[in-house]
Amino acid sequence: MTDNNNIHTEDKLICTKGNDYYAEGEIYTVGRIVNDKYFQLLTSGNDDHWYATLDDQGIYVSFDTSTVTNNKAFFAKIA
């Protein structure tokens, strides 16, 4: 990703709105950067990940599944 969005591998993000997979108030680590819009967000023990999106809505992981009650989890970068 570019420096304009200020997200890099190993950055720490705090969950500001959780769902079934990400807990509000917990801190998660950014994994591999895919492009200027998508990157990996590591989960339990940093072994698993979901793909996060950075756009005009903010930083979030969106789940397209009927098993997740709230389909988006939102995050903020920890300064």
Side-chain angles (χ1 to χ4, degrees), residues 44-58:
S44 62
N46 294 340
D47 292 335
D48 297 322
H49 66 271
W50 291 93
Y51 286 96
T53 303
L54 173 65
D55 63 16
D56 59 345
Q57 293 182 48

Side-chain angles (χ1 to χ4, degrees), residues 10-55:
E10 300 297 323
D11 279 353
K12 303 295 183 196
L13 304 180
I14 189 167
C15 182
T16 58
K17 180 184 175 203
N19 64 14
D20 291 350
Y21 296 99
Y22 290 98
E24 187 171 325
E26 291 293 318
I27 297 172
Y28 298 93
T29 303
V30 174
R32 186 176 67 84
I33 305 299
V34 177
N35 59 33
D36 63 345
K37 186 175 179 179
Y38 301 105
F39 57 91
Q40 294 176 340
L41 190 56
L42 306 176
T43 58
S44 62
N46 294 340
D47 292 335
D48 297 322
H49 66 271
W50 291 93
Y51 286 96
T53 303
L54 173 65
D55 63 16

Side-chain angles (χ1 to χ4, degrees), residues 19-21 50 62-72:
N19 64 14
D20 291 350
Y21 296 99
W50 291 93
S62 182
F63 298 89
D64 294 328
T65 176
S66 61
T67 61
V68 178
T69 305
N70 299 315
N71 73 344
K72 287 186 182 179

